[in-house]
Amino acid sequence: MLPALPDIMLEPLVRAGLLEDLGRGGDLTTSAVLKGTERVRVTLRCREKGVLAGLDLARLSFHLMDPSLLFERLKVEGAPLEPGDVVAVVEGSARSILTGERVGLNFLSHLSGIATATAQIVASMAGTKARLCCTRKTLPGLRAVQKYAVRAGGGISHRMGLDDAILIKDNHIALVGSVQEAVARARKAAGHMVKIEVEVDTPEQLQDVLAGEPVDAVLLDNMPVPMLRTCVEMIKGRLLTEASGGITPLTAAAIAGTGVDLLSVGWLTHSVKALDFGLDFEKTL
């Protein structure tokens, strides 16, 4: 079972979403149409096949509006979903529920979309040793929860931020002049707990890495499958290998089949399709 992120991390995100939605005058529609005394039971229902993530943010969207609302979780994070599955039941003030609905569904749909896409690629790589990871290509402010959703779908995280590890990319190498010089400077500056990874575009660049000071991992960027296989054979298991660039559900299996350790995919977090959820009225209490 995926450990939940603590509410103290989630609450600022949900609070910001509610404040944005409430604007300067609050929920004009609900305040005008309802008396304020109505009490209801509603369900959060998935409308398409997928994988669940983000239910705690949905819970907080209701509880921040009204702590007296009852929220019953029916599915765990990472659970497979079918159309019509109910993931939670909410009971209490109709006014509070309708006001918190959209923010909760937005988080739930977006994060479940990430988990669903992740799970699809992970399934396509079955039978290989490769693992799927996300990148720093996240929406501002949402990195922690987006990467959490990737884990819910069976993936893992690359760096959480620039301070996690050293990743020497092509621009660093161009500014320094050579792979060896960039690695030497990185090795001198890195603490004993900091790993070093180098991005390469060709087998020739990889040979420069292998001939220099030791590093921990190599990023094989935008390489066709035959070139990836060549580079994996050159490395002979001495370094962790990561493939990146242009990876889709259709290409992931072939890339994983080259023997790389990791496939990193940016679109999992920056442009994934949301999973459709709805809030359905059940009965008046």
Side-chain angles (χ1 to χ4, degrees):
M1 182 175 174
L2 180 68
L5 293 177
D7 283 359
I8 195 170
M9 292 177 64
L10 306 180
E11 185 173 314
L13 301 177
V14 180
R15 186 179 295 275
L18 289 169
L19 289 172
E20 178 182 57
D21 214 19
L22 290 164
R24 296 167 297 174
D27 184 351
L28 298 182
T29 306
T30 303
S31 297
V33 173
L34 299 187
K35 296 177 181 179
T37 57
E38 300 90 344
R39 293 177 58 80
V40 295
R41 173 186 171 96
V42 301
T43 58
L44 296 180
R45 192 182 303 270
C46 185
R47 292 175 174 160
E48 57 184 323
K49 186 180 179 68
V51 175
L52 178 64
L55 197 52
D56 281 325
L57 289 100
R59 170 179 57 80
L60 283 170
S61 73
F62 294 112
H63 280 166
L64 286 175
M65 288 304 307
D66 185 346
S68 72
L69 294 177
L70 299 178
F71 187 96
E72 181 185 3
R73 173 193 288 271
L74 300 181
K75 297 283 187 180
V76 299
E77 300 288 86
L81 300 175
E82 295 293 334
D85 280 355
V86 175
V87 300
V89 175
V90 190
E91 291 184 359
S93 164
R95 177 179 288 181
S96 300
I97 289 172
L98 292 180
T99 300
E101 169 189 1
R102 176 43 50 200
V103 170
L105 290 179
N106 283 349
F107 279 117
L108 185 60
S109 296
H110 176 62
L111 297 181
S112 294
I114 292 174
T116 299
T118 301
Q120 290 170 347
I121 296 183
V122 169
S124 77
M125 302 190 306
T128 73
K129 68 173 183 177
R131 302 189 71 185
L132 180 66
C133 65
C134 54
T135 70
R136 286 171 40 246
K137 295 178 181 178
T138 54
L139 300 180
L142 297 182
R143 181 169 295 174
V145 294
Q146 288 186 317
K147 285 179 173 283
Y148 167 83
V150 169
R151 296 197 297 277
I156 59 174
S157 177
H158 203 278
R159 293 185 295 174
M160 283 296 294
L162 291 170
D163 58 346
D164 277 5
I166 293 176
L167 174 51
I168 301 171
K169 298 176 72 68
D170 52 356
N171 287 332
H172 298 112
I173 295 169
L175 288 167
V176 170
S178 70
V179 169
Q180 293 94 334
E181 178 63 20
V183 170
R185 294 185 187 185
R187 182 58 64 191
K188 183 177 180 180
H192 70 287
M193 296 290 286
V194 177
K195 291 190 175 184
I196 299 175
E197 182 174 13
V198 181
E199 176 187 278
V200 299
D201 301 319
T202 66
E204 290 74 24
Q205 289 180 334
L206 174 59
Q207 187 57 53
D208 289 341
V209 173
L210 296 174
E213 290 193 46
V215 298
D216 301 288
V218 62
L219 172 59
L220 307 171
D221 190 46
N222 281 298
M223 291 185 179
V225 167
M227 186 181 294
L228 277 173
R229 189 172 289 109
T230 296
C231 288
V232 170
E233 292 171 355
M234 290 171 61
I235 292 167
K236 294 182 174 62
R238 288 175 287 173
L239 305 175
L240 187 75
T241 54
E242 173 188 350
S244 180
I247 298 171
T248 73
L250 297 178
T251 63
I255 292 171
T258 64
V260 294
D261 298 298
L262 300 170
L263 277 67
S264 59
V265 179
W267 61 261
L268 283 176
T269 47
H270 68 61
S271 58
V272 75
K273 177 183 177 294
L275 194 69
D276 190 14
F277 285 86
L279 186 144
D280 296 333
F281 173 80
E282 289 289 304
K283 63 179 181 179
T284 301
L285 301 177

